[in-house]
């Protein structure tokens, strides 16, 4: 584009307008990259905290007050629900989500 301006094939206003559009798009993409990196870092932090909690859960349970015990139960029983007076656990295999994710609306249908 700069070559077109140097050869005077486009006028200064068109060049300035396009340069501004490209600058804005580059800034938008930089913000999107930063947002994605921040999301990845937050996911990593959550995974580390979950691992640390799993390593000290027994000691925390013994010394915890009722509110803390309730929070621990909410975390541990994330896949559980109450059905009247029964506790129902939804068990999933580790890779179920990955297997479900392989078939998408854009797939050819022959990949499972």
């Amino acid at each position: 584009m700069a070559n077109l301006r140097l050869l005077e094939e486009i006028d200064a206003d068109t060049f300035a307008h396009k340069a501004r559009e490209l600058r804005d798009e580059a800034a938008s993409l930089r913000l999107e990259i930063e947002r994605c990196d921040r999301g990845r870092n937050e996911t990593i932090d959550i995974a580390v905290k979950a691992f640390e909690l799993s390593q000290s859960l027994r000691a925390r349970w013994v010394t915890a007050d009722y509110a803390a015990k309730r929070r621990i139960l909410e975390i541990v029983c994330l896949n559980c629900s109450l059905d009247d007076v029964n506790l129902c656990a939804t068990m999933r295999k580790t890779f179920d989500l990955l297997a479900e994710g392989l078939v998408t609306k854009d797939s050819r249908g022959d990949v499972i």
Side-chain angles (χ1 to χ4, degrees), residues 18-51:
K18 191 62 176 175
R20 188 172 40 256
E21 281 181 9
L22 292 173
R23 234 183 354 263
D24 291 346
E25 184 177 349
S28 175
L29 291 172
R30 277 192 296 277
L31 286 173
E32 184 68 20
I33 289 169
E34 288 174 10
R35 187 187 64 78
C36 289
D37 283 345
R38 209 172 26 253
R40 191 181 92 225
N41 291 338
E42 288 172 1
T43 302
I44 291 169
D45 290 343
I46 290 171
V48 168
K49 287 178 183 177
F51 178 75

Side-chain angles (χ1 to χ4, degrees), residues 53-83:
L53 175 63
S54 72
Q55 299 302 302
S56 62
L57 193 55
R58 182 178 297 198
R60 287 181 186 223
W61 180 265
V62 171
T63 60
D65 62 2
Y66 287 113
K69 286 182 179 181
R70 178 175 179 82
R71 182 69 182 131
I72 291 171
L73 285 175
E74 287 173 352
I75 293 168
V76 172
C77 299
L78 185 62
N79 292 334
C80 296
S81 61
L82 284 176
D83 183 19

